[in-house]
Amino acid sequence: MSSPAGARRRAGERCVTLADRVDAAAAESIAVRSPPTDEVIAQVPDCSRDDVETIVDRARAAQTTWTEWPVEKRVAVLDRFCDSLLEHRRDLLDLIQLETGKPRHNAVEELLDAVGTCTYYVDTAPKLVESERRSGAFPAITDARVHYEPVGVVGVISPWNYPFNLSLTDAIPALAAGNAVVCKPDERTPFATLFAASLLEAAGAPPGLFAVATGRGETTGPALVDAVDHISFTGGTETGRAVAERAGQNLIDCSLELGGKNPFIVLDDANISAAVRGAVAGAFANAGQLCLAPERIYVHESVYEPFLAELCSATESLSIGFEFGYGPDVGSMIDGDHVDRVDGYVQEAIDDGASCHVGGRRRPDVGPHFYEPTILTGVDPDSRIACEETFGPVVSVTPVKDAATAIDMATNTTYGLNGSVWTTDLGRGRHVATSLDCGTVCINDPYLVGWAALDAPMGGVGDSGLGRRHGPEGLRRYLESRTIATSRIGPFVSPSIVPMGLYARALVGSARLQRRLTRLKRRLSPR
Ligand code: NAD
């Protein structure tokens, strides 16, 4: 491995070159800082509404070529792109680390997610975009075929916490389906997405097909929503509402992947050491800046004491810091405002009577935006920290008398993104899982087993979002269906020689016959 200083310098130089890829005449620019040091890495254009329109027009032109290519040729480009992600992994991991301040193992998660998503859709997209035969209005004399067309240009708005994979995980199926994509990454983390755009073009995609519009959320974001045919948004719930309102005004479809307040339930028969490993890996992944991270742990009272003791000891042993290598367990948070926000929640909880067992402190000695992994108990269930997403390295632990109480407390929230259940009885785990109002529930794992099930839909309910990514659902949202129905006997109107009453009775008779046939079919092949 090269020296950390060398990695930082090379990644910084690459950022300056990548910023030139943005097709903007923008007068304004944004200084992007590296969180572990707060130093400016490079400037990127702050795209105006005109810039966004230019970028989308260019993407639209590129899409007309792309969509004419057979799907096999499109996925071949994505396949080469996937190879190049693995080939350039060191540069990519350096870049992700430089702009987020996360540990290298969390950057690897981003790479592997993008590679897995590419591999999945390269394999499945050709089938998913194929036309289908459906039942016609009347068997034999009519038929119906459904054709799938790309919607056009998809806008992807992504957040800073996993900037690389959260841009790509929604962009890849959109591209495979024949769309162009214009991505607006968070203004704090644009470079990994710009790098992806350069690699995709090198893999053979038409120039401008996957474009990046850098800029501020409140200006470039709405301009993008106004210019595209579908918006795929990942970010906070309040921003998601604003995006959905705007998409509604424009009558375009949108998918929203929003925040969570994820419960983690430890049942009395759980393997305590495994649950502790899962809690630490989940709650403090990416310094807790992970939408799927558990923030509320409910533990059966019979195992509460040993669980808490082991959790505290495992958390105390985590190392905090930053290096371009597989070093510290917990990295930097994104910026000073976010550290202030998280610390504000923690201090307020302590003022309200919660006990802080581990952490609860900033670490300016390590770097400007580091915060210690924090464990709280005795949190008031109506307090801000219990109800609102913290999005930092903070978790609360609460004893419960039984599984039903855990379910009640877990579901007492407006969010519904990800839940986790820990038990040695998998049947019991699945039963508890079905009672949680979450888009995903993981048994004996904090989040990865659900996220990595790329064939299964993923997303939130309630304040956690709308629509699903991953699986067939993750691609079909970017397709418009067109039904072509054919009559083999001419128009379905009453023939002039048949009286209207007789014709109507014939239709009712036919409806009855169809109902009988459907019932018979159900009886012959019950579900
Ligand atoms: P945010 O909503 O402030 O920003 C997300 C993106 O939206 C950024 O690119 C930002 O520039 C842009 N944006 C801001 N205002 C906008 C507007 N008015 N119109 C259009 N775009 C706008 O999110 P954040 O707080 O920085 O990110 C963290 C949040 O993201 C957390 O709530 C987290 O749970 C959520 N998140 C969800 C998922 C998921 O898959 N469900 C994944 C990661 C993060």
Side-chain angles (χ1 to χ4, degrees):
M1 163 100 38
S2 59
S3 76
R8 182 185 293 278
R9 182 182 44 72
R10 272 196 316 279
E13 286 167 3
R14 189 177 295 279
C15 292
V16 175
T17 322
L18 286 169
D20 287 340
R21 285 190 58 83
V22 184
D23 189 4
E28 303 291 325
S29 61
I30 299 172
V32 182
R33 293 174 177 277
S34 180
T37 58
D38 212 26
E39 285 163 358
V40 173
I41 309 169
Q43 309 273 339
V44 289
D46 183 7
C47 286
S48 65
R49 182 164 282 271
D50 285 350
D51 292 327
V52 171
E53 283 168 7
T54 306
I55 292 170
V56 171
D57 286 349
R58 191 155 172 254
R60 216 173 269 294
Q63 194 253 344
T64 55
T65 311
W66 178 247
T67 197
E68 277 165 15
W69 291 4
V71 61
E72 290 74 18
K73 187 171 168 185
R74 296 201 299 259
V75 296
V77 171
L78 293 173
D79 207 22
R80 286 197 293 278
F81 169 64
C82 193
D83 283 341
S84 75
L85 292 182
L86 288 166
E87 208 178 298
H88 293 275
R89 65 187 179 281
R90 285 201 182 81
D91 289 341
L92 180 59
L93 296 177
D94 288 346
L95 213 52
I96 295 172
Q97 282 200 280
L98 183 72
E99 67 179 0
T100 61
K102 66 175 59 182
R104 202 161 186 89
H105 59 268
N106 292 139
V108 170
E109 285 177 354
E110 296 211 41
L111 168 72
L112 294 182
D113 181 48
V115 167
T117 304
C118 243
T119 307
Y120 174 76
Y121 285 113
V122 164
D123 185 37
T124 58
K127 190 90 200 135
L128 291 172
V129 301
E130 256 178 22
S131 305
E132 295 175 295
R133 263 187 102 128
R134 299 280 180 95
S135 304
F138 297 98
I141 53 174
T142 66
D143 70 27
R145 282 166 204 268
V146 184
H147 297 264
Y148 294 102
E149 308 288 344
V151 293
V153 180
V154 171
V156 171
I157 299 181
S158 56
W160 47 264
N161 63 327
Y162 280 75
F164 180 69
N165 68 317
L166 290 177
S167 294
L168 287 184
T169 205
D170 293 321
I172 288 164
L175 292 165
N179 299 283
V181 171
V182 177
C183 181
K184 195 212 85 63
D186 191 279
E187 44 274 48
R188 286 161 282 189
T189 52
F191 295 113
T193 310
L194 282 163
F195 192 43
S198 72
L199 293 182
L200 188 68
E201 203 174 302
L209 180 82
F210 177 47
V212 182
T214 50
R216 297 189 195 281
E218 58 279 15
T219 46
T220 311
L224 185 62
V225 180
D226 289 347
V228 295
D229 307 302
H230 178 112
I231 192 82
S232 176
F233 172 83
T234 305
T237 298
E238 284 321 308
T239 320
R241 275 189 225 286
V243 167
E245 267 180 34
R246 205 163 184 111
Q249 284 298 327
N250 295 341
L251 284 182
I252 60 164
D253 206 354
C254 68
S255 25
L256 307 170
E257 303 287 342
L258 310 177
K261 189 74 195 170
N262 308 306
F264 182 107
I265 298 177
V266 183
L267 298 179
D268 50 356
D269 63 347
N271 175 331
I272 296 302
S273 296
V276 166
R277 277 205 313 279
V280 171
F284 307 128
N286 200 33
Q289 303 165 120
L290 167 68
C291 57
L292 304 169
E295 294 202 353
R296 303 176 289 151
I297 302 183
Y298 300 107
V299 190
H300 190 275
E301 57 192 14
S302 65
V303 291
Y304 176 73
E305 292 300 337
F307 176 86
L308 182 63
E310 208 172 318
L311 178 67
C312 290
S313 138
T315 305
E316 270 161 0
S317 70
L318 294 173
S319 53
I320 307 176
F322 180 83
E323 64 184 61
F324 289 98
Y326 296 94
D329 299 306
V330 180
S332 175
M333 295 184 66
I334 191 69
D335 60 21
D337 286 348
H338 194 46
V339 177
D340 288 348
R341 184 176 164 275
V342 170
D343 189 48
Y345 277 70
V346 171
Q347 300 314 324
E348 189 181 296
I350 294 170
D351 289 347
D352 289 347
S355 304
C356 181
H357 294 252
V358 182
R361 286 192 306 154
R362 298 163 193 263
R363 289 295 299 270
D365 54 316
V366 182
H369 312 312
F370 287 81
Y371 198 82
E372 286 188 347
T374 300
I375 298 174
L376 300 173
T377 60
V379 164
D380 174 354
D382 296 322
S383 65
R384 243 173 19 119
I385 202 158
C387 303
E388 294 177 18
E389 184 185 42
T390 319
F391 215 56
V394 182
V395 71
S396 66
V397 191
T398 306
V400 288
K401 71 175 186 336
D402 52 26
T405 313
I407 293 168
D408 276 355
M409 295 182 89
T411 49
N412 184 21
T413 172
T414 55
Y415 290 110
L417 189 59
N418 180 50
S420 168
V421 181
W422 294 77
T423 170
T424 46
D425 178 345
L426 298 184
R428 192 176 171 214
R430 288 192 191 104
H431 180 71
V432 172
T434 53
S435 308
L436 296 180
D437 277 341
C438 297
T440 308
V441 183
C442 300
I443 298 171
N444 293 336
D445 188 83
Y447 66 89
L448 208 57
V449 73
W451 176 268
L454 293 167
D455 194 29
M458 176 113 207
V461 301
D463 284 356
S464 292
L466 266 185
R468 294 290 180 267
R469 56 163 57 120
H470 294 173
E473 295 84 347
L475 184 140
R476 290 229 159 106
R477 63 185 157 150
Y478 301 127
L479 293 171
E480 209 70 85
S481 64
R482 180 182 301 137
T483 298
I484 299 181
T486 310
S487 163
R488 297 204 172 79
I489 56 158
F492 272 79
V493 291
S494 158
S496 49
I497 50 162
V498 179
M500 189 58 90
L502 187 60
Y503 182 69
R505 278 198 292 283
L507 288 181
V508 171
S510 149
R512 282 214 178 98
L513 179 65
Q514 273 203 35
R515 281 177 57 70
R516 258 186 234 129
L517 289 174
T518 309
R519 260 193 223 126
L520 183 67
K521 204 164 93 191
R522 257 198 333 256
R523 224 173 289 140
L524 292 177
S525 50
R527 289 199 184 104

